[in-house]
Amino acid sequence: QASDNVSEQSVDCSVVESTYESCNTHLGWFVGGEIGLGDTSISGSDLDVFYQNTGINAQSLSIDNKDTGGGLFLGYQFSSYFSLAAGYINLGERDVVFSGSATDLLSYYDNAEDVYPQSAKGWSINANAAYPLSENLKIAAKLGYWDWEGDYLTSDGANNVGQATLTGKDVWMGLELNYRWDDNLQLYAGVSRFKLARDTNHLYSLGARYYWADNKPKHVNKAVPAVALDSDADGVLDRNDQCADTPITHRVDELGCSLLIAKDLTHTLV
């Protein structure tokens, strides 16, 4: 016979049957950063329409609507599925070169300084909801709120002839694919969407999060079969055997003790 003993065992995170919750060490406080490509969804023809709407004679010659962007943040991972983070996001710089003509240059520059590919930077807070795909992979969705500002300069090639500042508070969203590099480091690739006053921006980024808590894989209680011993091989398990080391040639009772059999002996004198 054998019985089950409940014991505490470490989870083997290398096996397929191990769960993400048991093996996840990315919990608690973390710091992170990302860098990538910021992109404004606007074209030169779009800007030309805006020039016309402001009442100036201008045409865009070239537009640079992409630049390096990124962010830094601090957050807290409450579980394998949810975290909060706060940080600073910069979508990078944008440029447009245009030409035109006017009789009133001051009025011309005043109108032209408000036409540009929009970009921004500012402080943000966001929530992350994740779904584990395997022990090392997660897919996550982000929803954030940020207080942004964009500063823009207009130059005639030699001097700054105008400037504009645009501010706002908007919701942004994103998606990530996360990879658990080790017990403390997570790498990810993501895309985020930011809607500014007029233009939509995207940030395509690679990033990392570092969790500094000394988390270890959880322990689980498992029923482990106990080995049933019968050291003297008399058919009675050791836990019930009250007579150890009974000779193997002896018949025993239920307590493992030798059975004594009474016999009548006859003695004959010769």
Side-chain angles (χ1 to χ4, degrees):
Q1 298 179 1
S3 65
D4 288 341
N5 292 336
V6 176
S7 64
E8 189 177 73
Q9 290 191 334
S10 296
V11 176
D12 183 2
C13 293
S14 64
V15 299
V16 175
E17 291 80 5
S18 61
T19 64
Y20 190 95
E21 294 90 337
S22 299
C23 297
N24 186 23
T25 57
H26 292 172
L27 298 171
W29 290 102
F30 63 84
V31 293
E34 62 184 14
I35 189 170
L37 178 68
D39 173 56
T40 300
S41 299
I42 195 170
S43 65
S45 59
D46 294 328
L47 292 176
D48 291 341
V49 173
F50 298 144
Y51 288 132
Q52 294 176 11
N53 292 338
T54 59
I56 63 175
N57 180 18
Q59 183 178 14
S60 59
L61 301 178
S62 65
I63 178 173
D64 185 0
N65 60 348
K66 297 178 177 63
D67 192 28
T68 300
L72 296 172
F73 47 85
L74 171 70
Y76 191 86
Q77 188 80 38
F78 293 92
S79 69
S80 298
Y81 307 98
F82 182 75
S83 67
L84 290 175
Y88 191 80
I89 300 172
N90 189 336
L91 298 180
E93 297 182 352
R94 306 291 186 269
D95 293 295
V96 59
V97 177
F98 64 93
S99 66
S101 60
T103 55
D104 184 352
L105 284 180
L106 183 60
S107 177
Y108 181 88
Y109 290 141
D110 284 342
N111 290 323
E113 68 187 18
D114 293 321
V115 181
Y116 40 76
Q118 291 181 348
S119 181
K121 55 189 175 183
W123 295 98
S124 170
I125 184 170
N126 66 278
N128 289 18
Y131 180 78
L133 301 176
S134 69
E135 176 201 338
N136 292 322
L137 286 177
K138 288 197 299 185
I139 187 170
K142 301 189 291 187
L143 183 65
Y145 180 81
W146 73 322
D147 184 359
W148 58 268
E149 177 180 279
D151 297 313
Y152 309 93
L153 294 175
T154 303
S155 171
D156 63 2
N159 302 299
N160 291 331
V161 294
Q163 63 180 16
T165 298
L166 192 63
T167 61
K169 296 177 175 63
D170 287 286
V171 173
W172 63 273
M173 60 191 69
L175 291 173
E176 287 183 1
L177 181 64
N178 305 328
Y179 178 73
R180 180 182 180 273
W181 182 264
D182 59 26
D183 286 347
N184 298 99
L185 183 63
Q186 180 190 79
L187 305 178
Y188 68 87
V191 57
S192 300
R193 180 184 184 274
F194 304 83
K195 183 68 173 73
L196 304 182
R198 186 195 64 216
D199 300 339
T200 297
N201 278 236
H202 292 89
L203 179 63
Y204 307 92
S205 62
L206 298 175
R209 294 182 180 90
Y210 182 80
Y211 298 79
W212 62 76
D214 187 19
N215 296 310
K216 300 297 182 185
K218 295 179 182 178
H219 291 78
V220 295
N221 292 326
K222 285 188 176 182
V224 180
V227 178
L229 297 179
D230 180 11
S231 301
D232 55 8
D234 61 1
V236 179
L237 299 179
D238 287 353
R239 61 174 176 265
N240 300 322
D241 199 335
Q242 296 185 10
C243 298
D245 301 323
T246 304
I248 196 171
T249 56
H250 286 197
R251 295 178 62 188
V252 297
D253 58 17
E254 67 275 7
L255 299 179
C257 298
S258 298
L259 288 172
L260 299 178
I261 301 174
K263 290 186 177 181
D264 294 331
L265 299 177
T266 302
H267 297 275
T268 303
L269 296 176
V270 178

